[in-house]
């Protein structure tokens, strides 16, 4: 990439599924010159949780392009055809691919896009009134690039609550690193999983299977009232459609915040299949003839503090219904405690020009542009950093193609892609309201 390169129409920072989808849709546009920059050497996706039988929680139609351009050459069906697997997928009769196959699809699509540049670390971004000026490091070299628009898709990073921070690495890990540490975990005497989203459930399931074969004692703890299933009923799924996003975005900030808290089971619950598998393992475990290490599942408990010692980790837990506290001893803690948006230190002084809501978060317009002052308005976009403004659909892979189509329409200043108008049977707003 040359320092003399003319200004791009857009540069996207980060190459996860959402910005990869942006590149896929942009590949068919002659009037949008896009580059996607990522500091990693190659595209990978949740390798630390890539269990062999783990399923994607959405249909194959939630690929990079299909919900906007189903005939696109980078669709999941095109990937199957290109790899001579279309009939096998047809006979399989399951709409949900495995997580391994989805990553293989992403890598297949990435290999066909010249706009992707891995090993390119964005160090600083400035705004000169017309363009973004980016300082980009590639190994020992640096380049200066320019773009009229910027799309931030740097993704999330593991989140660890204060009560678990500071534990030594040999006695603690986030679920994102589970498979990298699995061999050591199975040698421990007692392993405790904290958190009951899908990641926590998959880690617990793997440990329970190992327990039945003579592995470590297992504790699975959650502060929620139950090990709750993902609400995947069809009319609830309509809350991940563009129709609901339209409605949600127009609500008052306080209403949006309340709904995001209430709707956690729409995107943070556990798949029913995983819960069934866990119960089956526990049931079969009780039928075994050989003694195995103890197992305990406990809901409605919150971690108050954690102290590491020579004998492992002592957790202080609070029983949420009674308010009573008690101690729990373990050798290793796995924090299945979710993710948070990555910091954006390279934006520098640009953040001072962004408009904030009452809670200090970026104000995001319906087209996913960041509300900003003056000539910066309409130039900066975000992918999957808009849960507070666009609702529970924000992290859902099924909204990615539509969001990207809207961003590209805004960048091009024309309707490059026809956006869906009616995507739900449910009416969310007051009938007849403007």
């Amino acid at each position: 990439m040359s320092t003399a390169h003319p200004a791009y129409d857009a540069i996207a920072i980060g190459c996860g599924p959402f910005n990869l989808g942006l590149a896929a849709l942009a590949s068919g546009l002659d009037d949008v010159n896009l580059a996607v920059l990522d500091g990693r050497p190659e595209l990978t996706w949740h390798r630390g949780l890539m269990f062999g039988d783990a399923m994607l929680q959405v249909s194959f139609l939630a690929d990079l392009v299909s919900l906007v351009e189903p005939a696109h050459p980078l669709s999941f069906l095109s990937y199957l055809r290109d790899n001579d697997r279309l009939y096998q997928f047809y006979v399989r009769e399951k709409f949900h691919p495995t997580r391994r196959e989805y990553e293989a699809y992403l890598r297949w699509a990435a290999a066909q896009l010249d706009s992707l540049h891995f090993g390119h670390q964005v160090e600083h971004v400035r705004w000169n009134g017309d363009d973004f000026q980016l300082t980009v490091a590639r190994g020992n070299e640096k380049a200066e690039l320019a773009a009229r628009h910027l799309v931030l898709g740097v993704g999330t990073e593991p989140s660890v609550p204060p009560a678990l921070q500071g534990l030594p690495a040999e006695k603690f890990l986030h679920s994102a690193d589970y498979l990298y540490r699995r061999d050591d975990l199975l040698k421990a005497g007692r392993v405790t999983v904290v958190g009951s989203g899908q990641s926590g459930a998959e880690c617990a399931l793997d440990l329970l299977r190992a327990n039945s074969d003579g592995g470590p004692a297992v504790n699975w703890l959650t502060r929620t009232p139950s090990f709750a299933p993902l609400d995947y009923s069809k009319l609830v799924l309509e809350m991940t459609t563009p129709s609901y996003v339209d409605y949600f975005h127009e609500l008052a900030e306080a209403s949006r915040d309340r709904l995001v808290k209430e709707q956690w089971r729409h995107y943070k619950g556990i798949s029913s299949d995983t819960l069934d598998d866990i119960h089956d393992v526990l049931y079969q475990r009780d039928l075994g003839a050989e003694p195995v290490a103890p197992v305990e599942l406990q809901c409605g408990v919150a971690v108050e503090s954690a102290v590491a010692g020579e004998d492992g980790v002592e957790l202080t837990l609070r029983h949420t219904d009674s308010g009573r506290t008690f101690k729990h001893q373990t050798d290793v803690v796995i924090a299945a405690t979710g993710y948070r948006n990555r910091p954006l230190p390279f934006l520098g002084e640009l953040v001072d020009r962004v408009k904030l809501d009452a809670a200090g978060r970026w104000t995001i317009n319906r087209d996913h542009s960041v509300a900003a002052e003056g000539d910066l308005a309409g130039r900066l976009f975000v992918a999957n950093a808009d849960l507070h403004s666009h609702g529970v659909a924000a992290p859902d892979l099924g909204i990615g193609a539509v969001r990207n189509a809207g961003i590209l329409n805004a960048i091009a200043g024309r309707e490059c892609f026809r956006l869906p108008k009616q995507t739900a049977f449910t009416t969310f707003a007051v009938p007849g309201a403007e």
Side-chain angles (χ1 to χ4, degrees):
M1 299 176 67
S2 169
T3 56
H5 199 294
Y8 288 94
D9 294 302
I11 288 179
I13 302 176
C15 191
F18 292 129
N19 272 351
L20 178 59
L22 185 77
L25 286 177
S27 65
L29 302 178
D30 294 333
D31 57 343
V32 175
N33 185 17
L34 171 75
V36 181
L37 311 180
D38 195 295
R40 298 172 299 169
E42 61 178 343
L43 188 151
T44 60
W45 190 67
H46 296 305
R47 288 283 176 88
L49 286 167
M50 196 65 74
F51 296 99
D53 58 351
M55 303 292 290
L56 203 64
Q57 290 183 290
V58 291
S59 159
F60 72 92
L61 289 172
D63 63 12
L64 301 174
V65 292
S66 286
L67 288 171
V68 170
E69 292 287 332
H72 196 282
L74 294 181
S75 70
F76 184 78
L77 291 180
S78 295
Y79 156 77
L80 292 175
R81 180 188 59 190
D82 195 48
N83 286 273
D84 198 21
R85 290 171 55 83
L86 195 55
Y87 259 89
Q88 292 91 327
F89 188 80
Y90 160 67
V91 172
R92 179 174 176 263
E93 291 191 333
K94 292 181 180 179
F95 269 21
H96 294 63
T98 64
R99 214 175 283 159
R100 285 181 183 274
E101 186 167 32
Y102 185 73
E103 189 201 35
Y105 158 66
L106 296 180
R107 290 171 63 85
W108 167 85
Q112 301 181 63
L113 292 167
D114 295 334
S115 58
L116 308 183
H117 304 278
F118 291 96
H120 286 67
Q121 186 70 44
V122 177
E123 294 188 340
H124 191 64
V125 177
R126 300 171 301 281
W127 172 252
N128 66 11
D130 294 312
D131 299 310
F132 294 98
Q133 304 292 316
L134 288 76
T135 301
V136 181
R138 183 184 182 186
N140 295 325
E141 300 179 355
K142 292 189 179 181
E144 296 292 327
L145 303 179
R148 295 191 304 110
H149 302 87
L150 204 63
V151 183
L152 302 175
V154 298
T156 57
E157 63 182 9
S159 176
V160 178
L164 293 174
Q165 292 177 7
L167 292 175
E170 67 272 13
K171 299 177 182 179
F172 175 81
L173 68 148
H174 191 274
S175 56
D177 295 322
Y178 178 84
L179 289 178
Y180 301 128
R181 301 274 300 275
R182 184 177 185 271
D183 290 345
D184 290 334
L185 290 171
L186 298 188
K187 297 174 185 176
R190 179 181 294 273
V191 180
T192 298
V193 180
V194 177
S196 61
Q198 183 66 23
S199 297
E202 290 178 1
C203 293
L205 175 58
D206 187 66
L207 289 167
L208 290 170
R209 285 170 171 163
N211 171 271
S212 298
D213 293 329
V218 180
N219 285 80
W220 186 21
L221 312 176
T222 180
R223 65 181 177 180
T224 57
S226 65
F227 294 98
L230 186 72
D231 194 338
Y232 208 68
S233 53
K234 289 181 172 55
L235 292 180
V236 166
L237 278 179
E238 293 199 336
M239 292 182 178
T240 64
T241 64
S243 292
Y244 186 74
V245 173
D246 289 340
Y247 163 74
F248 184 92
H249 190 267
E250 293 300 314
L251 293 174
E253 181 182 333
S255 296
R256 294 199 302 261
D257 289 346
R258 174 181 56 81
L259 286 170
V260 167
K261 290 179 181 178
E262 292 176 354
Q263 295 171 351
W264 64 272
R265 279 186 57 190
H266 303 347
Y267 63 104
K268 287 186 177 180
I270 306 167
S271 78
S272 296
D273 288 342
T274 303
L275 287 171
D276 289 348
D277 289 343
I278 288 171
H279 194 273
D280 286 346
V281 170
L282 292 170
Y283 185 83
Q284 295 299 327
R285 176 181 177 276
D286 282 352
L287 299 177
E290 298 297 325
V292 292
V295 163
E296 183 177 26
L297 280 61
Q298 190 160 17
C299 55
V301 294
V303 179
E304 297 278 281
S305 64
V307 178
E310 293 182 1
D311 297 329
V313 178
E314 182 181 79
L315 300 179
T316 299
L317 305 177
R318 177 174 52 82
H319 188 254
T320 56
D321 287 340
S322 68
R324 296 177 60 185
T325 60
F326 60 100
K327 304 295 184 181
H328 171 74
Q329 193 72 27
T330 189
D331 294 319
V332 184
V333 175
I334 301 172
T337 48
Y339 298 81
R340 63 186 176 193
N341 290 328
R342 293 184 186 277
L344 304 169
F346 53 82
L347 285 186
E349 67 276 6
L350 280 183
V351 296
D352 295 332
R353 300 190 57 186
V354 171
K355 295 181 180 180
L356 306 178
D357 65 13
R361 301 164 300 201
W362 285 8
T363 299
I364 312 296
N365 299 318
R366 178 61 187 90
D367 66 355
H368 306 282
S369 64
V370 179
E373 299 173 358
D375 48 21
L376 190 61
R379 298 298 191 95
L380 181 64
F381 295 83
V382 295
N384 191 19
D386 46 10
L387 177 67
H388 64 287
S389 59
H390 289 64
V392 295
D396 194 287
L397 292 172
I399 205 68
V402 175
R403 175 166 50 206
N404 286 332
I407 290 173
L408 289 170
N409 285 351
I411 289 172
R414 65 182 181 87
E415 189 183 55
C416 307
F417 302 99
R418 181 166 57 90
L419 300 180
K421 306 298 183 186
Q422 300 293 329
T423 57
F425 294 114
T426 306
T427 298
F428 302 105
V430 176
E434 293 293 333

